[in-house]
Amino acid sequence: MHDCDLCGSDKATELPQAKKYGSGGVYVCDRCGFVYVRERRSPEEVAAEWDKFYGTAYSANWPGIKARLYYVAEWFDQNYGWQGKSVLDIGAGEGAFLKIVRDRGEIASGLDPSEENCLNLEADGFPMFHRLVKAGDPPVGKFDVVTLLWTLENTTDCIGVLKWACSNLVEGGRIVV
C-alpha cells in the first residue's frame, strides 16, 4: 500500500465510484485531494504485462494513437521547435514517436523495458537504453527534451519517474508528458 505521492499522507478514502468501472482501489488523499492507486504492481510486473500487449492488444502504430503522437510533435515544434534538440523518449515502445522526431531531423534516443523493442529500434538506428526507470537511479545522459507519452500512468512511482526524467535534462531542458 502506497502513501500519497504528493504529500506523503497515509490517510485516504477509497472512491467507490471507480468500482463500477472495474477500477477498485482508487483513493483520494484525505489531506491534499490527490487521486491515486494505493496498491501497485512493481516496475518489473508492469514491464512484463506490457510485453504481452505490444503488437497484439496495443500498438502505437494504430492510426488514432499515431495521430496523438503527431499532435504532440507538432505542438512542441510550434511552441519550442525541435531544431537542434536531443530527445529521450521514456517508454519508447515500438518507436512511433522516435520516428516522427527523426523525420524532423533530430537525434532521438529511446528507453524501454522491452528487450525486443530495444533491439528492433537499435537495428533501425536509434540509440536505445534497455531498462526500467526507478527513482534514484543515475541518469542515462543529458537531453534537451525528455518525453513520457502515455507512459507515466503505467509507472509505479510517477513522482519518482518525473524526478528521474528531470535528472536527464540539460539546463533549460523540457519534459513533455
Side-chain angles (χ1 to χ4, degrees), residues 10 19-20 27-28 31-32 38 41 43 55 72 76 80 85-86 88 100 109-110 112 117-118 127 135 151 159 162:
D10 64 350
K19 288 182 180 179
K20 75 178 182 180
Y27 289 77
V28 62
R31 182 172 172 219
C32 73
R38 292 190 82 178
R41 299 174 291 169
V72 171
F76 188 90
Y80 303 103
K85 305 267 190 325
S86 58
L88 174 64
I100 292 168
S109 302
D112 201 82
N117 286 344
C118 288
T151 297
I159 301 300
L162 286 170

Side-chain angles (χ1 to χ4, degrees), residues 39-114:
E39 219 174 308
R40 303 175 195 169
R41 299 174 291 169
S42 71
E44 292 80 9
E45 290 170 310
V46 173
E49 188 70 22
W50 272 100
D51 265 348
K52 295 177 194 174
F53 289 123
Y54 275 115
T56 56
Y58 177 88
S59 172
N61 291 313
W62 293 345
I65 295 168
K66 208 166 195 176
R68 297 186 310 192
L69 298 175
Y70 274 109
Y71 174 81
V72 171
E74 186 60 28
W75 178 89
F76 188 90
D77 203 18
Q78 288 179 19
N79 287 278
Y80 303 103
W82 289 109
Q83 192 64 37
K85 305 267 190 325
S86 58
V87 180
L88 174 64
D89 185 27
I90 298 173
E94 301 156 300
F97 190 73
L98 292 175
K99 292 170 185 170
I100 292 168
V101 172
R102 181 177 62 189
D103 288 348
R104 293 170 183 258
E106 300 318 311
I107 299 169
S109 302
L111 183 148
D112 201 82
S114 167

